Amino acid sequence: MNNFQGNPAFVAYAVACLVLCANLIFLWAFSGATRGKTRTAINAEDAARFGGTLVEVDPPEVARVLRAHANAQASIYPFLFLGLVFVLLGGGAGFAETIFGIFTVARLAHSYVYLKGRQPWRSIFFIIGGLATIALMLDIIWLLVRT
Amino acid sequence: MNNFQGNPAFVAYAVACLVLCANLIFLWAFSGATRGKTRTAINAEDAARFGGTLVEVDPPEVARVLRAHANAQASIYPFLFLGLVFVLLGGGAGFAETIFGIFTVARLAHSYVYLKGRQPWRSIFFIIGGLATIALMLDIIWLLVRT
Amino acid sequence: MNNFQGNPAFVAYAVACLVLCANLIFLWAFSGATRGKTRTAINAEDAARFGGTLVEVDPPEVARVLRAHANAQASIYPFLFLGLVFVLLGGGAGFAETIFGIFTVARLAHSYVYLKGRQPWRSIFFIIGGLATIALMLDIIWLLVRT
């Protein structure tokens, strides 16, 4: 009754959601930690309270982490909405485990190589995540038209 | 059991979610394609690997696509959370189809006119999307207090 | 069937989702209103249609509201995904009400003190929201391994 604990596709979703949200939260916290290491502050009250130089533009190190975070947000949130729709439409556990697994690993790798500045790996992992998202969308369409 | 395939309000949600996520993903990919066309790179490793001039600030064309994407994110994600809450609270199919349909069309139109730089249409479509969101929130409150 | 209206953990989620989405939408709309008050426009078509000085960089007042919004997005969306996973896994109503309540109040307070520029309160409310998110993630892991 109203409980998806025994639904293996939902369990796959829950695990992917946990890891992907941890990825997002880490990047956001890391942008703050990186800002601290550059001894800069973007808000006057932060410079006054915690010290550091007040700046109007993020230092390059901080801007990189924020770009990695922006890319993660733009990729992960749509996937998490679509993944939930897939599971609630009764999508299969095997497909869910495969696609959620590929997407999650690709996004973790994308964040890592973005922070490290490694190309062409960043593009490759972004594209793998994108292809997994497209596969998920096609399967949702299939589930909808099959009805 | 645990399957919303036969719930018409959820099917409306699934279709809106598909289209709105496609809208978001298109804008994000298009910002990258636009950046490529300007022959600029914001990451040193991209300039080194793929060529282009390394810049610290996005060219105006890229900044416009990113603003359209930011507006889409700020509007669509809350709506998708609220829409799902509405459906899971047992909200009616007629209301779901109407509100999800209006919001989805308004947001597609908003993205289009943002990229084209057309006012007052951009403001009009933004407001229509906002009113649909407020209507959805009011109906959720109604579903909650009715309990 | 397929209706969570009688599930108190889901009702807590629905209320938190309503308030947190209202928070996000308010900040986004407020960034536009603040921009209007500075008599600046970031799009050429806005300056042409509504007047104001065309600028390439947001005025400091607008940039502050947008940073508050960015922080809200980065914190709230992951929490809303995780909160829904928690409820769908059959998580308890008492835990849901406590954690959703603490997070929601902390985020409202965070937005308020960000707009007012008050430290160390902003950091304190950000950390409270972060700890609530970590508690939620740990309880989801507990629900998953207990299976």
Side-chain angles (χ1 to χ4, degrees):
Chain A
M1 20 73 71
N2 284 339
N3 187 324
F4 288 79
Q5 214 167 7
N7 178 331
F10 185 75
V11 170
Y13 178 79
V15 173
C17 185
L18 263 180
V19 175
L20 293 166
C21 286
N23 185 351
L24 284 161
I25 292 166
F26 166 77
L27 286 173
W28 188 250
F30 190 60
S31 77
T34 305
R35 193 186 296 283
K37 248 191 274 175
T38 62
R39 304 292 303 145
T40 60
I42 196 115
N43 292 296
E45 67 271 23
D46 300 353
R49 168 71 56 169
F50 306 119
T53 312
L54 186 63
V55 295
E56 292 200 10
V57 175
D58 291 320
E61 308 89 301
V62 178
R64 172 176 293 273
V65 184
L66 289 176
R67 285 198 301 276
H69 182 260
N71 193 299
Q73 288 200 116
S75 303
I76 291 174
Y77 297 146
F79 188 87
L80 287 178
F81 281 114
L82 293 165
L84 193 55
V85 163
F86 176 81
V87 172
L88 296 182
L89 281 173
F95 186 87
E97 284 158 13
T98 307
I99 290 292
F100 298 171
I102 290 170
F103 183 84
T104 302
V105 171
R107 291 307 314 178
L108 290 179
H110 182 274
S111 293
Y112 178 78
V113 297
Y114 208 139
L115 296 183
K116 292 287 179 191
R118 301 248 175 85
Q119 278 288 26
W121 296 108
R122 203 185 80 222
S123 298
I124 290 169
F125 290 124
F126 178 75
I127 289 168
I128 293 173
L131 292 175
T133 307
I134 291 170
L136 180 59
M137 294 173 94
L138 293 176
D139 215 61
I140 290 172
I141 293 171
W142 169 245
L143 288 170
L144 286 171
V145 298
R146 208 184 57 178
T147 311
Chain B
M1 20 76 67
N2 286 338
N3 186 323
F4 288 80
Q5 214 166 9
N7 177 332
F10 185 75
V11 170
Y13 178 79
V15 173
C17 185
L18 263 180
V19 176
L20 292 166
C21 287
N23 185 352
L24 284 161
I25 292 165
F26 166 77
L27 286 174
W28 188 250
F30 190 59
S31 76
T34 306
R35 192 187 297 284
K37 249 190 273 175
T38 63
R39 306 290 303 141
T40 61
I42 196 115
N43 291 297
E45 67 271 22
D46 300 353
R49 169 71 57 170
F50 305 119
T53 313
L54 186 63
V55 295
E56 290 199 12
V57 175
D58 292 320
E61 308 90 301
V62 179
R64 172 177 292 274
V65 184
L66 289 176
R67 284 197 301 276
H69 182 260
N71 193 299
Q73 289 201 114
S75 304
I76 291 173
Y77 296 146
F79 188 87
L80 287 177
F81 281 114
L82 293 164
L84 193 55
V85 164
F86 176 80
V87 173
L88 296 183
L89 280 173
F95 185 88
E97 284 158 13
T98 308
I99 290 292
F100 298 170
I102 290 171
F103 182 83
T104 302
V105 171
R107 291 307 315 178
L108 290 178
H110 182 274
S111 293
Y112 178 77
V113 299
Y114 207 139
L115 296 183
K116 292 288 179 190
R118 300 250 174 85
Q119 278 288 24
W121 296 109
R122 202 187 81 222
S123 298
I124 289 169
F125 290 124
F126 178 75
I127 289 168
I128 293 174
L131 292 175
T133 307
I134 291 170
L136 180 59
M137 294 173 92
L138 292 175
D139 215 60
I140 291 172
I141 293 171
W142 170 244
L143 288 169
L144 286 171
V145 298
R146 209 184 55 177
T147 312
Chain C
M1 21 76 68
N2 285 338
N3 186 324
F4 288 80
Q5 214 167 8
N7 177 331
F10 184 75
V11 170
Y13 179 80
V15 173
C17 185
L18 264 180
V19 175
L20 292 166
C21 286
N23 185 352
L24 284 160
I25 292 166
F26 166 77
L27 286 173
W28 188 250
F30 190 60
S31 77
T34 305
R35 193 186 298 282
K37 247 189 273 174
T38 64
R39 303 292 301 144
T40 61
I42 196 114
N43 292 296
E45 68 271 23
D46 300 353
R49 169 71 55 170
F50 306 119
T53 313
L54 186 63
V55 294
E56 291 199 12
V57 175
D58 291 321
E61 309 89 301
V62 179
R64 173 177 291 274
V65 184
L66 289 177
R67 284 198 301 276
H69 182 260
N71 192 299
Q73 288 201 116
S75 303
I76 291 173
Y77 296 147
F79 189 87
L80 287 177
F81 281 114
L82 294 165
L84 193 55
V85 164
F86 176 81
V87 172
L88 296 182
L89 280 173
F95 185 88
E97 285 159 11
T98 307
I99 290 293
F100 298 171
I102 290 171
F103 183 84
T104 302
V105 170
R107 291 307 314 179
L108 290 179
H110 182 274
S111 293
Y112 178 78
V113 297
Y114 207 140
L115 297 182
K116 293 287 179 190
R118 300 250 174 85
Q119 278 287 26
W121 297 107
R122 203 186 81 222
S123 297
I124 290 169
F125 290 124
F126 178 75
I127 289 168
I128 293 173
L131 292 176
T133 307
I134 291 170
L136 181 59
M137 295 173 92
L138 292 176
D139 216 62
I140 291 173
I141 293 171
W142 169 245
L143 287 170
L144 286 171
V145 297
R146 209 183 57 178
T147 312

